[in-house]
């Protein structure tokens, strides 16, 4: 409260700075280094009142989901200057993050998939007296970005998507694609389907969608590792998006925040109209999610088969993975302060500004309560 009063007293003198700072935050992108070195100080001046630092200090090491990297960068621009805490989030992928967490190398991990039972067991070795838990923090659509000259309103359905990424459909003028796009001038152009080269929660969620909606066309078990043959591999969501941008005939899957400058596929779900990925359509898709975690774990079950009007079906939720008990004493204050901010009202507002979907109110309320009980 003292910090809030202080900010109010400073408001008259900050005036124009506060306005420009808010605009700067909206423009945050993946080119930020995410290290919280104070470069976003003016943004923090406008929003520092929403940050409760308590005894936070020093540096937080974290790693994991590249899907939320742009969100972490935007949050860090506010949090780091306000609390003088450096956030070093590598974004090397969900698999790498979970491994680093269970080995005790980082304070928290980001993962687009909830912890598996064996990963929970492994976490107990580093969470003294406790275990790793999943806190849903970031929502959003997995967009299918494509680079097909002359085609800017492409529609695909689940069977066609599965066949494209399984190298069963190899050309853009294939009859299955023509049937879904009767008015489009589809070129005689080879398809280059890009997928993730490393273990990825984005891959896990994308293939869960295919398994749920068209199992007859996707004969793989799913998981973080890409299993289909053929296609092009790239590292991280940024790498996949860059591959699509640079190659005519390419298509790939990545979070909407990485789709800038690319056309995205509208999905035929069985609703009256195909659904394009957006913050709003992803929120509608996530709204049907159910909490299936036990105790303090808040893992969600998504409905990939939704046919609701305006609900985008290929969504993911990124979890922040942290110990419920047994967090390291030197990083616990900063971890709680950061998680408290990003789960708070102002932190969740940042998501929509950066092409992510805020977590539904009833779920994020449980997340906030759980954060306060971390020890």
């Amino acid at each position: 409260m003292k910090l809030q009063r202080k900010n109010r007293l400073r408001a008259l003198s900050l005036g124009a700075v506060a306005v420009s700072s808010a605009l700067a935050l909206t423009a945050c992108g993946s080119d930020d280094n995410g290290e919280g070195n104070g470069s976003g100080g003016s943004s923090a001046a406008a929003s520092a009142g929403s940050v409760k630092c308590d005894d936070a200090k020093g540096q937080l090491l974290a790693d994991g989901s590249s899907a939320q990297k742009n969100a972490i960068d935007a949050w860090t621009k506010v949090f780091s200057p306000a609390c003088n805490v450096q956030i070093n989030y590598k974004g090397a992928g969900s698999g790498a993050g979970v491994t680093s967490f269970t080995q005790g190398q980082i304070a928290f991990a980001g993962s687009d998939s909830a912890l598996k039972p064996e990963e929970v067991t492994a976490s107990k070795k580093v969470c003294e007296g406790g275990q790793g838990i999943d806190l849903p923090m970031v929502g959003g659509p997995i967009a299918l970005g494509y680079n097909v000259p002359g085609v800017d309103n492409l529609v695909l359905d689940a069977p066609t998507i599965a066949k494209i990424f399984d190298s069963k459909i190899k050309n853009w003028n294939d009859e299955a694609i023509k049937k879904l796009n009767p008015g489009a001038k589809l070129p005689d152009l080879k398809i280059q389907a890009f997928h993730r080269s490393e273990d990825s929660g984005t891959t896990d969620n994308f293939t869960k969608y295919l398994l749920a909606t068209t199992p007859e066309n996707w004969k793989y078990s799913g998981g973080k590792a890409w299993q289909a043959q053929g296609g092009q591999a790239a590292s991280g969501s940024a790498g996949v998006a860059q591959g699509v941008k640079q190659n005519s005939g390419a298509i790939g899957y990545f979070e909407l925040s990485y789709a800038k400058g690319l056309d995205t596929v509208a999905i035929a779900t069985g609703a009256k109209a195909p659904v394009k990925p957006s913050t709003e359509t992803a929120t509608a898709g996530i709204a049907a999610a159910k909490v299936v975690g036990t105790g303090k774990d808040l893992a969600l079950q998504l409905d990939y088969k939704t046919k609701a009007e305006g609900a985008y079906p290929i969504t993911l939720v990124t979890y922040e993975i942290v110990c419920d008990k047994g967090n390291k004493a030197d990083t616990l204050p900063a971890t709680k302060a950061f998680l408290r901010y990003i789960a708070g009202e102002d932190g969740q507002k940042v998501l929509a500004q950066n092409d992510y979907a805020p977590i539904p109110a009833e779920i994020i309320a449980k997340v906030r309560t759980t954060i306060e009980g971390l020890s």
Side-chain angles (χ1 to χ4, degrees):
M1 293 301 293
K2 290 181 179 179
L3 183 57
Q4 290 175 327
R5 287 196 295 271
K6 182 178 180 181
N7 282 337
R8 284 197 295 269
L9 290 173
R10 294 173 61 197
L12 290 175
S13 62
L14 285 172
V17 175
V19 173
S20 62
S21 299
L23 293 173
L25 177 59
T26 304
C28 295
S30 59
D31 58 342
D32 182 73
N33 61 19
E35 293 179 353
N37 57 11
S39 62
S42 61
S43 291
S47 305
S50 65
V51 181
K52 182 182 178 183
C53 299
D54 288 340
D55 298 321
K57 60 182 179 180
Q59 175 177 293
L60 282 182
L61 298 180
D63 194 5
S65 164
S66 67
Q68 69 168 359
K69 182 64 166 62
N70 291 339
I72 292 285
D73 288 349
W75 283 326
T76 299
K77 284 177 179 284
V78 176
F79 178 83
S80 289
C83 294
N84 195 29
V85 173
Q86 184 182 47
I87 307 292
N88 188 344
Y89 183 84
K90 292 171 64 176
S94 297
V98 171
T99 297
S100 294
F101 177 76
T102 56
Q103 292 177 350
Q105 299 173 354
I106 55 178
F108 70 91
S111 178
D112 307 325
S113 301
L115 290 169
K116 297 178 180 178
E118 61 269 25
E119 293 169 339
V120 173
T121 299
S123 74
K124 293 179 180 180
K125 297 178 182 179
V126 297
C127 300
E128 187 174 349
Q131 66 180 49
I133 57 173
D134 302 288
L135 301 178
M137 199 72 72
V138 181
I142 299 174
L144 294 175
Y146 65 95
N147 180 355
V148 182
V151 181
D152 54 11
N153 288 296
L154 185 68
V155 175
L156 297 175
D157 59 10
T160 308
I161 294 168
K163 292 173 184 176
I164 286 173
F165 281 89
D166 198 23
S167 301
K168 298 294 193 300
I169 292 179
K170 300 181 179 181
N171 247 50
W172 281 109
N173 63 350
D174 187 275
E175 288 301 321
I177 302 177
K178 284 183 178 180
K179 186 175 180 180
L180 291 164
N181 299 271
K185 294 182 180 179
L186 296 164
D188 182 6
L189 179 65
K190 181 182 177 181
I191 295 174
Q192 297 189 63
F194 277 80
H195 59 265
R196 292 282 286 274
S197 59
E198 79 284 13
D199 284 2
S200 161
T202 310
T203 293
D204 191 15
N205 283 274
F206 177 55
T207 55
K208 280 179 179 176
Y209 161 75
L210 297 176
L211 283 164
T213 55
T214 185
E216 67 277 12
N217 291 301
W218 195 254
K219 301 292 187 179
Y220 306 98
S221 60
K224 294 178 182 177
W226 185 257
Q227 297 170 323
Q229 300 300 308
Q232 306 290 329
S235 177
S237 292
V240 174
Q242 190 65 20
V244 175
K245 289 177 182 177
Q246 293 177 343
N247 291 276
S248 181
I251 185 171
Y253 59 91
F254 36 78
E255 296 68 40
L256 185 61
S257 64
Y258 292 92
K260 289 179 173 60
L262 284 170
D263 292 314
T264 57
V265 172
I267 308 295
T269 63
K272 292 179 181 178
V275 186
K276 293 269 285 186
S278 70
T279 297
E280 294 76 18
T281 60
T283 298
I286 295 170
K290 298 178 181 178
V291 176
V292 294
T294 58
K296 294 183 179 179
D297 188 87
L298 297 174
L300 302 177
Q301 184 178 66
L302 298 171
D303 181 10
Y304 298 102
K305 299 172 71 174
T306 181
K307 295 182 181 180
E309 299 299 327
Y312 189 75
I314 319 178
T315 59
L316 61 71
V317 169
T318 298
Y319 301 95
E320 310 312 330
I321 295 171
V322 66
C323 297
D324 58 352
K325 297 178 182 178
N327 290 279
K328 294 179 181 179
D330 58 340
T331 58
L332 177 60
T335 299
K336 288 183 70 171
F338 184 63
L339 294 179
R340 180 187 297 119
Y341 163 64
I342 67 178
E345 184 177 343
D346 285 350
Q348 288 289 295
K349 285 180 181 178
V350 169
L351 294 178
Q353 297 168 358
N354 289 273
D355 295 321
Y356 295 97
I359 299 299
E362 63 276 12
I363 298 174
I364 203 66
K366 295 178 181 179
V367 171
R368 293 166 184 161
T369 298
T370 302
I371 290 170
E372 297 306 321
L374 298 179
S375 63

